[in-house]
Amino acid sequence: MSEAFDEPRLALVDFRARPVQQPLTQRSRGLRVLAYVTGAGDAAVIALATLLAAVGRTRLDIFGDTAGGVQTVAQSVAGYIIIGWLLVNVLAGTYRRSTLGVGTIEYARILQSGAIVAGAIGITSYLTNFQLSRGFFVLLFLIGVPGLLLWRYTSRSLVHAARTRGRLLTRVIIAGDSHHIDDVASVLRREAWLGYRIVGAIVPDADTAEATADGIPVVGSSADTAEVVTDHEADLVVFAEGSFPTTADFRRVAWDLEGHDVQMAVVPSLSDISAGRISMRPVGGLPLVHVDQPQSLGASRGSKRAFDIAGALFVLILASPVMAIVAAAIKLQDRGPVMFRQTRVGRDGQFFECLKFRSMVVDAEAQLAGVTHLSKHQEGVLFKMVDDPRVTRIGHLIRRFSIDELPQLFNVLRGDMSLVGPRPALPAEVRQYDPEVKRRLHVRPGLTGL
């Protein structure tokens, strides 16, 4: 579960029930086909990289080795390269359902596999005195590794799109007490691209409710976990807090699930924790989830500031023609000012003037009191209009494509903002922040949002 966990931010410790000599169910065919299709794509990319490396070497003379016979040599080893590289991918776990299409681990393992294959080819060529062109070797991995990463990214995008349309779904049963089941379910549901379909809940034996507070049907008790998984053809069982009274009870359930084609995941009492801060280290058979301290202060270091300056200058150069056209259009529309300046709260609560292209009428602030009833958020710290009558025709266009935010690149150059970070808030909004939300003021606000 994002990369990160990038999506959703729950620390899942993944276990896999070991197969024994029992017939496995035929569910999750789509997930199995996904692994096969991904492998076929890998084979095609590796074969293409081998071909391009051979052709490219015959047309380049920058490596200093003899190009003669490169294609013959490539043909003799192409099959071994494709088979060997795929085998290393399998051994590295790049086709496991727990990581395929989710998180950064898949990409890291692709890079690891490429390094292993490169080392194996180099060592084998040296020990056997095989005359493999250095140019072919370099081009093979310069093309192959980025090609595999690009293919995995493309296939992942297609899979995510299919999941949002109800395809390639993973049937999930959540075990635990009702409150924690609903917490986990809310995280899984908000990231539809992950493809988790919650089919039911397993509660402790003493719980007699027919459904959780959020309406997830109770399909069995903890003692009947294996039977419930079989009956509902679950692909994944997520064990939240309250699943079992003791670790021995969980171990017995794991034994009961042995031989079933189902994955198990344990959710610690953590949420909204970035993947970079979490690591799992077994100690004496006890899986400890280590959580590093927050690094909000580190987000203001010199390297990030240098990236902000370089990135803002680059985007300003590219966007300058568009910005000039928008500025002229705003000026010609009503002869009012081109820029809109508004006081926002920056890092450590410091005020600054946030720049935007003016997208409203000149007296928009004076009209604010008369349109607050149109806000989508009648309670809380946000003010968001459904259909703001103060927005001009040009304003609608530049807001749709976020062109009105481009002048904030000057705020980035001045050090008021960053390219990446939470959006700058109004002073009135900050005054209503809870203590937890005020942590966002530890870093510079950004253009991208949190």
Side-chain angles (χ1 to χ4, degrees):
M1 297 173 63
S2 81
E3 252 241 147
F5 293 113
D6 298 358
E7 24 345 344
R9 303 185 185 278
L10 280 178
L12 293 186
V13 183
D14 183 53
F15 298 89
R16 184 67 185 271
R18 296 174 298 168
V20 295
Q21 294 182 351
Q22 296 179 15
L24 298 178
T25 60
Q26 297 300 314
R27 55 185 176 270
S28 299
R29 290 182 180 177
L31 297 176
R32 293 191 186 93
V33 171
L34 174 61
Y36 295 141
V37 171
T38 303
D42 288 349
V45 170
I46 297 169
L48 180 62
T50 304
L51 174 62
L52 294 177
V55 174
R57 178 60 192 94
T58 59
R59 286 165 171 74
L60 295 176
D61 191 22
I62 60 176
F63 294 97
D65 53 358
T66 303
V70 172
Q71 292 186 356
T72 302
V73 173
Q75 291 174 1
S76 65
V77 299
Y80 297 107
I81 290 175
I82 297 172
I83 295 174
W85 203 332
L86 288 174
L87 180 60
V88 173
N89 280 350
V90 172
L91 296 176
T94 65
Y95 304 110
R96 292 177 183 170
R97 281 185 287 171
S98 59
T99 58
L100 191 63
V102 178
T104 58
I105 297 178
E106 180 182 0
Y107 298 128
R109 288 176 176 172
I110 288 293
L111 293 173
Q112 180 185 17
S113 299
I116 293 173
V117 173
I121 292 176
I123 293 172
T124 302
S125 299
Y126 173 78
L127 293 178
T128 61
N129 200 27
F130 183 76
Q131 299 300 315
L132 183 66
S133 167
R134 288 175 293 172
F136 171 79
F137 177 84
V138 172
L139 289 174
L140 173 64
F141 292 98
L142 284 180
I143 299 171
V145 174
L148 286 174
L149 292 174
L150 179 60
W151 156 243
R152 290 301 183 99
Y153 175 80
T154 302
S155 64
R156 174 175 295 194
S157 300
L158 295 175
V159 169
H160 291 174
R163 285 172 173 169
T164 57
R165 291 171 173 79
R167 306 292 182 85
L168 299 176
L169 298 181
T170 299
R171 295 173 60 86
V172 180
I173 289 179
I174 307 175
D177 60 47
S178 297
H179 173 70
H180 290 101
I181 288 174
D182 288 337
D183 287 345
V184 174
S186 66
V187 176
L188 299 183
R189 284 170 172 167
R190 78 186 183 199
E191 306 292 347
W193 57 268
L194 286 170
Y196 289 113
R197 179 188 173 191
I198 302 171
V199 297
I202 295 176
V203 297
D205 298 342
D207 192 337
T208 59
E210 296 183 356
T212 66
D214 286 349
I216 300 176
V218 174
V219 294
S221 62
S222 301
D224 305 322
T225 300
E227 181 180 348
V228 171
V229 166
T230 302
D231 293 342
H232 291 81
E233 297 186 339
D235 305 307
L236 172 67
V237 183
V238 178
F239 295 98
E241 266 197 87
S243 302
F244 303 99
T246 66
T247 56
D249 294 312
F250 172 75
R251 187 166 58 249
R252 279 192 291 270
V253 168
W255 290 340
D256 290 340
L257 291 176
E258 192 172 21
H260 294 75
D261 188 21
V262 62
Q263 291 180 304
M264 296 188 296
V266 178
V267 185
S269 301
L270 301 173
S271 64
D272 295 311
I273 305 295
S274 63
R277 294 172 54 198
I278 296 176
S279 60
M280 200 276 287
R281 304 169 193 170
V283 177
L286 180 66
L288 298 181
V289 178
H290 290 251
V291 182
D292 295 334
Q293 293 184 4
Q295 300 295 321
S296 58
L297 297 180
S300 306
R301 292 176 180 172
S303 58
K304 189 173 190 296
R305 180 64 186 141
F307 171 79
D308 286 339
I309 294 174
L313 287 173
F314 178 72
V315 176
L316 275 173
I317 293 172
L318 292 181
S320 55
V322 176
M323 296 176 67
I325 293 173
V326 170
I330 294 173
K331 192 67 177 179
L332 292 173
Q333 179 178 250
D334 55 13
R335 304 297 178 180
V338 172
M339 292 292 181
F340 174 70
R341 292 173 169 82
Q342 189 175 49
T343 301
R344 297 285 179 124
V345 181
R347 181 184 172 193
D348 296 328
Q350 298 295 319
F351 294 149
F352 71 97
E353 294 297 314
C354 185
L355 302 177
K356 296 179 68 174
F357 280 127
R358 184 172 59 86
S359 60
M360 294 185 176
V361 295
V362 177
D363 60 342
E365 292 293 318
Q367 298 182 25
L368 178 61
V371 296
T372 53
H373 65 282
L374 299 176
S375 173
K376 289 195 297 186
H377 303 278
Q378 296 297 330
E379 298 180 357
V381 301
L382 295 178
F383 177 79
K384 190 70 173 179
M385 198 75 66
V386 178
D387 188 11
D388 198 329
R390 301 173 299 163
V391 179
T392 63
R393 287 182 298 175
I394 295 175
H396 281 295
L397 178 64
I398 62 177
R399 282 188 170 200
R400 178 180 178 184
F401 298 100
S402 298
I403 298 175
D404 60 323
E405 310 284 355
L406 287 177
Q408 290 169 24
L409 292 168
F410 294 107
N411 287 117
V412 175
L413 293 177
R414 293 192 313 196
D416 300 325
M417 297 176 61
S418 175
L419 290 178
V420 180
R423 292 294 297 155
L426 294 168
E429 295 173 348
V430 173
R431 284 194 292 268
Q432 300 180 57
Y433 277 175
D434 293 331
E436 293 82 1
V437 181
K438 286 184 178 179
R439 286 190 54 82
R440 65 189 294 165
L441 300 180
H442 289 334
V443 296
R444 288 188 180 94
L447 273 71
T448 61
L450 193 58

